[in-house]
Amino acid sequence: MEHIERVLKAVELKEPDRVPIDFGGPVSGITERAYRNLISFLGLRDVDVIIWDRMQGLVEIDERILRMFDVDIRHIRLNPPKKEEIKEISEDCFRNEWGIVLKRQYHGYYYEIVERLSPLYEAKKISDIEKYKGPEPHEGRFKGLDKLARNLKEKGYAVTADAFTGGILELAEWLRGFNKIFYDFIANPELVKALLDKTLELHKAFWEKYLNVVGDYIDIVLYGDDYGMQNRMLISPSMWRKIIKPRVKELVSFIKKQAKVKFQIHSCGSIRPIINDLIEMGIDIVNPVQPLAKDMNSFELKREFGTHICFHGGVDVQYVLPKGSPKDVEKEVKTRISAFAPGGGYIFATAHNIQPDVPAENIVVLFESAKKY
């Protein structure tokens, strides 16, 4: 069975010849230090280590490794913005194309948002929101992506078009500041709605041009918008349904009108209360089904929702991958496949990016076990 056939069969909730495997992109990728340890462990030479996501410290994965692990999906993403759209403030701090300031943290691995410098931190009125323009989806961001996607498709891979920024809520959090926006949900809901309308508008503008270029050659659109924490949602399910859901539903519909694609949402944490809503919105794949979050038991999720939506991810990155033995990792892989794979509707991946503290041996065991089981 070809890679693309295997992936699409799983997404359509049918059982393929084996569970398809994903490794790459902004939510199932690998950080720089973990990657350097992996290529050293594998004895690979002449591997370029290229950081493509500065905020998360994610790197491009060498094609030899993807083939070694028999990965079924390949990821494409927008080209970097123009140099003049990025402002280097210091060695450890920069302003991105959205006007968001990010600062490298003390440990050196990631960048975090400096809230007080966020573009809309001081916004007080809806007119302040309306003045924000955001970056232009200019031609350079999409140049050559059609050829890249077509080439991957012709090689038999399923192709995912990765998100280019945080989702409608997430981008709003970054532009406004986390503390302020969650205060606004209660104290100034009209301001929040105006901000979410703005981020929806920006998403539409980018996705329309993105899909105009690659729409004929991709299978999955990846959209990321975190709604959950470890033990509950960021806002109540009722508030989410009232304010967030209609805008995301509009984006799902908009994207599916632009191209014949499957829609994958990445949303961390405890999101079980809204999974039926995701299904109703026309979402085909949910990631990362974080196994240690409250009410996210893999077997229960499969029983309750498995005939309506495809699961992607599930392998614990909080404890087992960094702290477990190779045998623990093999057991974890077997557990997730046992839970999600029967009857189809599962794409194997980690429940988030592989972090710097994950031993290289555990990464190899992870993918070898996926093929074994």
Side-chain angles (χ1 to χ4, degrees), residues 4-16:
I4 185 171
E5 183 185 358
R6 182 177 296 128
V7 170
L8 292 180
K9 197 161 189 177
V11 176
E12 290 162 2
L13 311 180
K14 301 171 186 174
E15 195 167 292

PDB file of all heavy atoms in Angstrom, residues 4-16:
ATOM      1  N   ILE A   4       0.394   7.425   0.670  1.00  0.00           N
ATOM      2  CA  ILE A   4      -0.785   8.291   0.604  1.00  0.00           C
ATOM      3  C   ILE A   4      -2.071   7.497   0.785  1.00  0.00           C
ATOM      4  O   ILE A   4      -3.005   7.929   1.480  1.00  0.00           O
ATOM      5  CB  ILE A   4      -0.803   9.099  -0.713  1.00  0.00           C
ATOM      6  CG1 ILE A   4      -1.972  10.084  -0.696  1.00  0.00           C
ATOM      7  CG2 ILE A   4      -0.870   8.206  -1.937  1.00  0.00           C
ATOM      8  CD1 ILE A   4      -1.945  11.067  -1.838  1.00  0.00           C
ATOM      9  N   GLU A   5      -2.119   6.318   0.188  1.00  0.00           N
ATOM     10  CA  GLU A   5      -3.303   5.468   0.316  1.00  0.00           C
ATOM     11  C   GLU A   5      -3.497   5.043   1.772  1.00  0.00           C
ATOM     12  O   GLU A   5      -4.614   5.041   2.296  1.00  0.00           O
ATOM     13  CB  GLU A   5      -3.154   4.233  -0.580  1.00  0.00           C
ATOM     14  CG  GLU A   5      -4.367   3.327  -0.580  1.00  0.00           C
ATOM     15  CD  GLU A   5      -4.151   2.055  -1.390  1.00  0.00           C
ATOM     16  OE1 GLU A   5      -3.065   1.898  -1.996  1.00  0.00           O
ATOM     17  OE2 GLU A   5      -5.071   1.209  -1.394  1.00  0.00           O
ATOM     18  N   ARG A   6      -2.381   4.723   2.429  1.00  0.00           N
ATOM     19  CA  ARG A   6      -2.426   4.291   3.833  1.00  0.00           C
ATOM     20  C   ARG A   6      -2.966   5.404   4.730  1.00  0.00           C
ATOM     21  O   ARG A   6      -3.827   5.183   5.588  1.00  0.00           O
ATOM     22  CB  ARG A   6      -1.020   3.881   4.267  1.00  0.00           C
ATOM     23  CG  ARG A   6      -0.907   3.367   5.678  1.00  0.00           C
ATOM     24  CD  ARG A   6       0.522   2.925   5.976  1.00  0.00           C
ATOM     25  NE  ARG A   6       0.914   1.809   5.150  1.00  0.00           N
ATOM     26  CZ  ARG A   6       2.033   1.768   4.402  1.00  0.00           C
ATOM     27  NH1 ARG A   6       2.851   2.795   4.392  1.00  0.00           N
ATOM     28  NH2 ARG A   6       2.305   0.706   3.680  1.00  0.00           N
ATOM     29  N   VAL A   7      -2.469   6.624   4.515  1.00  0.00           N
ATOM     30  CA  VAL A   7      -2.888   7.762   5.334  1.00  0.00           C
ATOM     31  C   VAL A   7      -4.360   8.082   5.114  1.00  0.00           C
ATOM     32  O   VAL A   7      -5.132   8.230   6.067  1.00  0.00           O
ATOM     33  CB  VAL A   7      -2.013   8.997   5.033  1.00  0.00           C
ATOM     34  CG1 VAL A   7      -2.596  10.249   5.696  1.00  0.00           C
ATOM     35  CG2 VAL A   7      -0.575   8.757   5.493  1.00  0.00           C
ATOM     36  N   LEU A   8      -4.766   8.178   3.855  1.00  0.00           N
ATOM     37  CA  LEU A   8      -6.145   8.567   3.564  1.00  0.00           C
ATOM     38  C   LEU A   8      -7.135   7.500   4.022  1.00  0.00           C
ATOM     39  O   LEU A   8      -8.244   7.819   4.460  1.00  0.00           O
ATOM     40  CB  LEU A   8      -6.313   8.855   2.078  1.00  0.00           C
ATOM     41  CG  LEU A   8      -5.576  10.110   1.580  1.00  0.00           C
ATOM     42  CD1 LEU A   8      -5.797  10.308   0.095  1.00  0.00           C
ATOM     43  CD2 LEU A   8      -6.011  11.345   2.359  1.00  0.00           C
ATOM     44  N   LYS A   9      -6.735   6.250   3.955  1.00  0.00           N
ATOM     45  CA  LYS A   9      -7.609   5.186   4.436  1.00  0.00           C
ATOM     46  C   LYS A   9      -7.835   5.337   5.937  1.00  0.00           C
ATOM     47  O   LYS A   9      -8.965   5.197   6.431  1.00  0.00           O
ATOM     48  CB  LYS A   9      -7.000   3.816   4.117  1.00  0.00           C
ATOM     49  CG  LYS A   9      -8.004   2.675   4.210  1.00  0.00           C
ATOM     50  CD  LYS A   9      -7.502   1.446   3.467  1.00  0.00           C
ATOM     51  CE  LYS A   9      -8.614   0.408   3.380  1.00  0.00           C
ATOM     52  NZ  LYS A   9      -8.209  -0.781   2.607  1.00  0.00           N
ATOM     53  N   ALA A  10      -6.761   5.658   6.672  1.00  0.00           N
ATOM     54  CA  ALA A  10      -6.893   5.855   8.119  1.00  0.00           C
ATOM     55  C   ALA A  10      -7.773   7.063   8.430  1.00  0.00           C
ATOM     56  O   ALA A  10      -8.631   7.002   9.321  1.00  0.00           O
ATOM     57  CB  ALA A  10      -5.515   6.030   8.747  1.00  0.00           C
ATOM     58  N   VAL A  11      -7.565   8.158   7.693  1.00  0.00           N
ATOM     59  CA  VAL A  11      -8.359   9.368   7.924  1.00  0.00           C
ATOM     60  C   VAL A  11      -9.832   9.111   7.632  1.00  0.00           C
ATOM     61  O   VAL A  11     -10.714   9.666   8.295  1.00  0.00           O
ATOM     62  CB  VAL A  11      -7.829  10.540   7.061  1.00  0.00           C
ATOM     63  CG1 VAL A  11      -8.715  11.774   7.228  1.00  0.00           C
ATOM     64  CG2 VAL A  11      -6.394  10.878   7.439  1.00  0.00           C
ATOM     65  N   GLU A  12     -10.101   8.255   6.654  1.00  0.00           N
ATOM     66  CA  GLU A  12     -11.483   7.921   6.317  1.00  0.00           C
ATOM     67  C   GLU A  12     -12.054   6.828   7.209  1.00  0.00           C
ATOM     68  O   GLU A  12     -13.107   6.252   6.923  1.00  0.00           O
ATOM     69  CB  GLU A  12     -11.548   7.527   4.843  1.00  0.00           C
ATOM     70  CG  GLU A  12     -11.318   8.747   3.920  1.00  0.00           C
ATOM     71  CD  GLU A  12     -10.949   8.362   2.493  1.00  0.00           C
ATOM     72  OE1 GLU A  12     -10.901   7.133   2.202  1.00  0.00           O
ATOM     73  OE2 GLU A  12     -10.699   9.268   1.686  1.00  0.00           O
ATOM     74  N   LEU A  13     -11.334   6.540   8.302  1.00  0.00           N
ATOM     75  CA  LEU A  13     -11.794   5.627   9.363  1.00  0.00           C
ATOM     76  C   LEU A  13     -11.923   4.191   8.876  1.00  0.00           C
ATOM     77  O   LEU A  13     -12.810   3.445   9.293  1.00  0.00           O
ATOM     78  CB  LEU A  13     -13.119   6.127   9.964  1.00  0.00           C
ATOM     79  CG  LEU A  13     -13.144   7.610  10.365  1.00  0.00           C
ATOM     80  CD1 LEU A  13     -14.499   7.988  10.936  1.00  0.00           C
ATOM     81  CD2 LEU A  13     -12.035   7.922  11.363  1.00  0.00           C
ATOM     82  N   LYS A  14     -10.983   3.828   8.005  1.00  0.00           N
ATOM     83  CA  LYS A  14     -10.856   2.445   7.556  1.00  0.00           C
ATOM     84  C   LYS A  14      -9.477   1.939   7.957  1.00  0.00           C
ATOM     85  O   LYS A  14      -8.536   2.710   8.102  1.00  0.00           O
ATOM     86  CB  LYS A  14     -11.033   2.358   6.041  1.00  0.00           C
ATOM     87  CG  LYS A  14     -12.391   2.877   5.558  1.00  0.00           C
ATOM     88  CD  LYS A  14     -12.422   2.977   4.051  1.00  0.00           C
ATOM     89  CE  LYS A  14     -13.711   3.621   3.572  1.00  0.00           C
ATOM     90  NZ  LYS A  14     -13.693   3.863   2.098  1.00  0.00           N
ATOM     91  N   GLU A  15      -9.366   0.620   8.113  1.00  0.00           N
ATOM     92  CA  GLU A  15      -8.110   0.052   8.600  1.00  0.00           C
ATOM     93  C   GLU A  15      -7.154  -0.228   7.448  1.00  0.00           C
ATOM     94  O   GLU A  15      -7.445  -1.054   6.583  1.00  0.00           O
ATOM     95  CB  GLU A  15      -8.387  -1.229   9.385  1.00  0.00           C
ATOM     96  CG  GLU A  15      -7.211  -1.683  10.225  1.00  0.00           C
ATOM     97  CD  GLU A  15      -7.604  -2.759  11.222  1.00  0.00           C
ATOM     98  OE1 GLU A  15      -8.358  -2.466  12.172  1.00  0.00           O
ATOM     99  OE2 GLU A  15      -7.143  -3.894  11.040  1.00  0.00           O
ATOM    100  N   PRO A  16      -5.987   0.459   7.410  1.00  0.00           N
ATOM    101  CA  PRO A  16      -5.006   0.195   6.351  1.00  0.00           C
ATOM    102  C   PRO A  16      -4.154  -1.020   6.667  1.00  0.00           C
ATOM    103  O   PRO A  16      -4.390  -1.719   7.657  1.00  0.00           O
ATOM    104  CB  PRO A  16      -4.165   1.479   6.359  1.00  0.00           C
ATOM    105  CG  PRO A  16      -4.244   1.967   7.770  1.00  0.00           C
ATOM    106  CD  PRO A  16      -5.579   1.519   8.322  1.00  0.00           C
TER     107      PRO A  16
END
